[in-house]
């Protein structure tokens, strides 16, 4: 029997499901079923994703459908079975959300066992399609999108340092994409003089062949590869959302880490990067406008079901004299802050010189220490495999 997780069930249903699984079932604690997969995964004490998720009648139908739709998009190797009184309308909504099977609350042990067997086979088949046997030794890289509703919060500083840190952890395996299509300055931040820029990479032969694509990348002395921003806003405006989707898919097949520096707000290109992301770093400054803006952006992304399981909230320019505390920020945005980057005197010089702090800063510098902590959220953990989920991939609650 595959790994089964049960949620929103009473004691009597738990007993029947355990009998159907010969006792091999992980029961989530009682309480409201989260609509966000990341919050659901945080309840798995052994940090391993299920093959089958069984949801009992104790959950809100809206929460179930939202969660199932997000699981179907983010982790399609998990099959959802819902136990509920099913009307025709519920059947249709469930199928649209990717739910595999519906069982009545009165289902007996053999019926539950049969449904779990079908769900297990479906999960195995979907993972086989997602990752053919001939590709088991290849990986699909993590696409890490750095986003913020406002400019001036240090997205490029965070993006370049994260990319440099990941390059140190996995040489030749990281690429940084400057997706601020109008005013991207990754090239300046890394002292690069690119021969080709983003519009060149998403057009012509580079967009059709990964071998050609690699020759269009700009290489940093550290071993980091980069897709630098357009030379002019007009040239950048020619890059469409579908171009971004295709580019990130190609890069993720060739690189272990794809770091994406985006423009402020939710442009077409940023939404495409968020849609493709396995991880999103939500960045805010430690001030009221920045925090409120982040809260609004998180609300929009939740409504669009575009927050991936790997969500990391980073607060920049932290200053205890600023009048806000980390707790104030967490209360406002409704999420935990994972990394706090302090104000650092060395950042402006680092930016002007085009040398990231993780290359030039002192190991004792608090900013360097926090940047390394951000890098460790990705570099210290293996890539997610189908049907698995590691603790350090989880977004903080």
């Amino acid at each position: 029997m595959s790994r089964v997780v049960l949620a929103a069930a009473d004691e009597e249903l738990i007993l029947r499901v355990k009998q159907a699984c010969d006792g091999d079932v992980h029961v989530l604690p009682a309480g409201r079923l989260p609509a966000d997969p990341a919050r659901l995964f945080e309840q798995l004490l052994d940090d391993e994703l299920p093959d089958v998720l069984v949801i009992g009648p104790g959950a809100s139908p809206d929460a179930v459908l939202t969660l199932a739709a997000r699981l179907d998009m983010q982790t399609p190797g998990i099959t959802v079975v819902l136990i509920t009184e099913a009307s025709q309308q519920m059947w249709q909504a469930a199928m649209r959300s990717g739910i595999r099977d519906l069982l009545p609350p009165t289902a007996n042990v053999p019926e539950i066992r049969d449904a779990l067997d079908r769900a297990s086979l479906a999960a195995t088949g979907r993972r086989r399609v997602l990752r053919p046997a001939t590709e088991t030794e290849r990986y699909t890289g993590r696409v890490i999108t750095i986003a913020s509703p406002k400019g001036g919060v240090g997205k490029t500083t965070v993006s370049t340092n994260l990319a440099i840190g990941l390059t140190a952890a996995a040489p030749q395996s990281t690429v940084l994409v400057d997706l601020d299509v109008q005013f991207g300055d990754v090239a300046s931040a890394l002292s690069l003089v690119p021969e080709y820029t983003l519009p060149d990479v998403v057009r012509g032969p580079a967009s059709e062949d990964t071998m050609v694509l690699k020759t269009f990348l700009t290489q940093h002395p550290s071993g980091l590869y980069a897709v630098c921003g357009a030379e002019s806003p007009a040239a950048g405006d020619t890059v469409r959302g579908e171009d971004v989707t295709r580019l990130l898919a190609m890069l993720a097949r060739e690189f272990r880490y794809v770091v994406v520096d985006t423009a402020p707000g939710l442009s077409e290109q940023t939404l495409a990067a968020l849609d493709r992301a396995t991880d999103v770093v939500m960045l805010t400054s430690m001030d009221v406008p920045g925090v409120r803006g982040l809260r609004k952006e998180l609300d929009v992304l939740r409504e669009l079901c575009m927050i991936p399981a790997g969500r990391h909230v980073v607060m920049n320019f932290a200053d205890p004299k600023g009048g806000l505390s980390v707790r104030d920020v967490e209360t406002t945005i409704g999420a935990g802050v994972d990394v706090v980057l302090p104000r650092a005197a060395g950042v402006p010089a680092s930016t002007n010189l085009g040398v990231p702090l993780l290359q030039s800063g002192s190991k004792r510098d608090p900013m360097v220490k926090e940047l390394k902590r951000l890098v460790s959220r990705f570099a210290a953990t293996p890539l997610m495999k189908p049907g698995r989920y590691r603790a350090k991939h989880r977004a903080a609650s």
Side-chain angles (χ1 to χ4, degrees):
M1 175 71 69
S2 299
R3 175 172 166 76
V4 176
V5 168
L6 175 62
D10 59 24
E11 292 298 325
E12 197 275 333
L13 178 56
I14 291 172
L15 179 60
R16 276 184 284 149
V17 173
K18 282 185 174 181
Q19 290 175 343
C21 297
D22 297 323
D24 187 16
V25 59
H26 179 94
V27 181
L28 295 183
R32 183 179 178 182
L33 182 73
D36 183 351
R39 299 298 175 86
L40 177 75
F41 299 153
E42 287 169 1
Q43 301 178 38
L44 302 176
L45 300 180
D46 58 2
D47 309 319
E48 185 175 342
L49 279 183
D51 300 298
V52 180
L53 173 64
V54 182
I55 302 176
S60 157
D62 289 341
V64 172
L65 295 174
T66 300
L67 175 62
R70 291 177 176 177
L71 286 169
D72 190 54
M73 177 179 67
Q74 297 174 11
T75 52
I78 298 176
T79 300
V80 179
V81 175
L82 177 60
I83 298 178
T84 185
E85 293 289 357
S87 62
Q88 185 63 33
Q89 183 178 9
M90 174 56 80
W91 263 108
Q92 293 174 349
M95 295 304 106
R96 284 195 296 267
S97 297
I99 294 174
R100 167 71 186 185
D101 212 341
L102 270 68
L103 286 175
T106 56
N108 58 33
V109 172
E111 290 171 334
I112 295 173
R113 182 181 291 114
D114 288 344
L116 295 180
D117 286 341
R118 292 193 299 269
S120 177
L121 288 172
T124 301
R126 294 183 75 176
R127 286 197 297 273
R128 188 178 296 119
V129 170
L130 290 168
R131 174 94 34 114
T134 55
E135 296 183 5
T136 54
E137 295 183 0
R138 295 287 300 277
Y139 53 72
T140 298
R142 294 175 75 166
V143 178
I144 306 166
T145 298
I146 289 79
S148 176
K150 296 183 177 295
V153 299
K155 281 195 304 298
T156 300
T157 296
V158 170
S159 300
T160 52
N161 278 281
L162 175 58
I164 287 292
L166 292 172
T167 298
Q172 310 294 319
S173 296
T174 303
V175 61
L176 173 60
V177 180
D178 190 343
L179 209 59
D180 187 339
V181 296
Q182 290 188 326
F183 302 107
D185 52 6
V186 161
S188 173
L190 292 172
S191 292
L192 295 174
V193 182
E195 182 177 357
Y196 302 102
T197 61
L198 179 63
D200 302 314
V201 171
V202 300
R203 298 281 188 272
S207 66
E208 300 170 359
D209 189 312
T210 54
M211 293 291 289
V212 177
L213 172 61
K214 284 188 172 182
T215 68
F216 276 60
L217 304 179
T218 305
Q219 190 165 17
H220 187 263
S222 66
L224 170 68
Y225 291 88
V227 176
C228 296
E231 294 180 352
S232 70
D237 280 338
T238 65
V239 178
R240 302 164 300 175
E242 52 263 41
D243 297 328
V244 173
T245 299
R246 183 174 60 253
L247 172 64
L248 297 183
M250 292 177 69
L251 291 173
R253 288 195 293 269
E254 300 298 323
F255 291 90
R256 186 177 183 87
Y257 300 107
V258 182
V259 181
V260 186
D261 184 23
T262 64
L266 294 173
S267 66
E268 173 191 3
Q269 298 84 2
T270 297
L271 287 172
L274 288 167
D275 189 48
R276 186 72 198 180
T278 60
D279 299 83
V280 58
V281 174
M282 304 300 301
L283 189 64
T284 180
S285 51
M286 197 174 182
D287 54 59
V288 172
V291 174
R292 286 180 174 171
L294 180 59
R295 174 56 187 265
K296 292 177 183 178
E297 184 165 81
L298 283 169
D299 287 344
V300 171
L301 294 178
R302 287 190 185 104
E303 290 177 7
L304 296 174
C305 300
M306 291 185 70
I307 299 180
R311 186 203 64 207
H312 315 262
V313 177
V314 176
M315 185 171 66
N316 200 10
F317 306 129
D319 186 348
K321 299 179 182 179
L324 290 180
S325 67
V326 174
R327 183 58 182 166
D328 293 332
V329 175
E330 292 178 329
T331 300
T332 301
I333 66 175
V337 173
D338 301 300
V339 177
V340 178
L341 301 176
R343 286 192 178 275
V347 171
S350 166
T351 301
N352 292 335
L353 291 172
V355 182
L357 269 182
L358 286 186
Q359 284 188 303
S360 61
S362 167
K363 294 181 180 179
R364 296 183 179 181
D365 186 329
M367 179 67 161
V368 171
K369 289 181 179 179
E370 288 302 302
L371 285 170
K372 287 183 176 179
R373 198 157 74 85
L374 175 62
V375 172
S376 71
R377 296 180 70 85
F378 306 97
T381 54
L383 288 175
M384 188 188 306
K385 297 179 180 179
R388 304 280 180 177
Y389 197 89
R390 301 297 181 184
K392 291 182 181 177
H393 287 176
R394 293 193 303 236
S397 57

